[in-house]
């Protein structure tokens, strides 16, 4: 297929970051969005700093953890202590996590466009913001779900009521024995539904439906003018979003790879001519676009009057 040119590449040299993103969105036939931890952090949902120290002071005092990433892969002394931590973790990062302003702005920005989202975040940000669940692929699992630690059954179970009970009844960094969940099929301990260091997790019918819809989107727009937009994706799990997105850009000559990240990550040489790196804070970037669009609409309305 003949290669399609992107005006934002040839004419965007002196544009602001927000104008480049707006222009690319308007040019695209469809938008593929990859969302990583940087997007959550932009809205203040960080795994370090006061958010961590204020919610886990007892664990930090005992184990000298530096952040929730370190804590979430820690080998606990027993299941009672493990679930004392993870019940608070799930509440903080799923059940009680507030509505993210950037997610609302992203939803408004995508209104009326053909898009699909893949995320490595396991929180509730997209649900809370009211995104169409059939357009979001939670590749790395969900904090509000449990799975058998041995994977004996392809089932995931909601854990929210259990987490609330654990929070209410935990004492001295431990939950009571009767609250520790075990698999009803094989008796093994249950754990949070999240992809571990061996790249494994339980994947149920809902997961495979999300995966199918995601693949259908990729197939539908494989030869179209596709904006591949990466928001806050780093190298903690590059095999989930970053590397597939870069490979897609290389193999689809009509695609444009746009990455938004404050950190300086190397771009493969063979896609640099179809890459735009916006070294911007995601929250500020989306706010600027929203304000620019509101200003444009206001001027249009005044002109029409």
């Amino acid at each position: 297929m003949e290669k399609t040119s992107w005006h934002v590449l040839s004419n965007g040299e002196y544009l602001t970051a927000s104008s480049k993103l707006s222009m690319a969105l308007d040019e695209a036939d469809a938008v593929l969005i990859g969302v990583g931890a940087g997007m959550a952090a932009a809205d203040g949902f960080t795994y370090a700093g006061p958010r961590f120290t204020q919610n886990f002071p007892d664990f930090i005092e005992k184990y000298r953890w530096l952040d929730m990433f370190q804590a979430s892969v820690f080998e606990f002394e027993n299941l009672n202590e493990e679930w004392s931590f993870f019940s608070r973790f799930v509440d903080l990062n799923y059940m009680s996590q507030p509505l993210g302003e950037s997610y609302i702005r992203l939803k408004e920005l995508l209104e009326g466009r053909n898009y699909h989202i893949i995320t490595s975040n396991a929180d509730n940000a997209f649900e809370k913001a009211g995104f169409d669940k059939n357009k979001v692929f939670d590749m790395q699992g969900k904090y509000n779900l449990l799975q058998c630690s041995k994977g004996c059954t392809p089932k995931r179970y909601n854990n929210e009521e259990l987490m609330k009970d654990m929070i209410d009844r935990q004492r001295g960094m431990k939950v009571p024995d009767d609250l520790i969940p075990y698999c009803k099929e094989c008796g093994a301990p249950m754990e949070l539904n999240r992809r571990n260091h061996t790249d494994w997790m339980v994947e149920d019918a809902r997961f495979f439906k999300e995966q199918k819809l995601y693949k259908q989107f990729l197939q539908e727009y494989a030869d179209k003018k596709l904006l591949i937009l990466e928001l806050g994706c780093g190298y903690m799990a590059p095999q989930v979003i970053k590397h597939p997105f870069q490979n897609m850009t290389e193999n689809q000559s009509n695609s444009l790879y746009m990455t938004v990240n404050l950190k300086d990550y190397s771009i493969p040489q063979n896609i640099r001519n179809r890459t735009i790196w916006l070294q911007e804070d995601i929250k500020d970037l989306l706010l600027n676009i929203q304000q620019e669009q509101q200003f444009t609409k206001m001027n249009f309305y005044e002109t029409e009057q």
Side-chain angles (χ1 to χ4, degrees), residues 16 18-19 22 287-296:
T16 63
S18 54
S19 294
S22 292
L287 176 59
N288 289 340
I289 293 176
Q290 182 187 59
Q291 291 175 338
E292 288 171 5
Q293 291 183 342
Q294 288 174 345
F295 180 75
T296 300

Side-chain angles (χ1 to χ4, degrees), residues 12 14-21 278 292:
Y14 301 106
L15 294 176
T16 63
S18 54
S19 294
K20 287 179 182 179
L21 178 51
L278 303 181
E292 288 171 5

Side-chain angles (χ1 to χ4, degrees), residues 149-253:
S149 60
K150 301 298 183 182
C152 77
T153 177
K155 295 179 182 179
R156 299 188 292 181
Y157 307 87
N158 187 280
N159 64 30
E160 294 179 49
E161 290 304 316
L162 178 61
M163 296 301 103
K164 291 175 184 177
D165 288 343
M166 286 183 176
I167 292 168
D168 289 342
R169 294 178 58 192
Q170 64 181 257
R171 300 289 185 274
M173 297 166 54
K174 292 183 178 181
V175 302
D177 289 342
D178 64 291
L179 290 182
I180 296 174
Y182 293 93
C183 178
K184 296 178 181 179
E185 306 292 333
C186 72
M190 301 291 279
E191 63 184 12
L192 293 187
N193 176 237
R194 54 184 185 145
R195 209 168 294 280
N196 61 24
H197 63 280
T198 63
D199 203 31
W200 172 87
M201 74 174 196
V202 169
E203 299 168 350
D204 64 3
R206 176 64 207 179
F207 176 91
F208 288 117
K209 179 182 178 181
E210 290 181 9
Q211 184 183 62
K212 181 179 179 181
L213 290 170
Y214 175 69
K215 289 182 177 179
Q216 286 176 345
F217 176 86
L218 297 183
Q219 291 171 359
E220 182 177 356
Y221 293 101
D223 295 326
K224 301 293 195 306
K225 207 170 183 180
L226 180 67
L227 173 60
I228 300 175
L229 177 61
E230 195 182 80
L231 298 172
C233 300
Y235 273 90
M236 181 168 291
Q239 74 280 7
V240 178
I241 296 174
K242 185 171 289 291
H243 288 168
F245 274 25
Q246 292 173 348
N247 290 337
M248 233 180 285
T249 305
E250 180 180 1
N251 296 324
Q252 297 176 200
S253 61

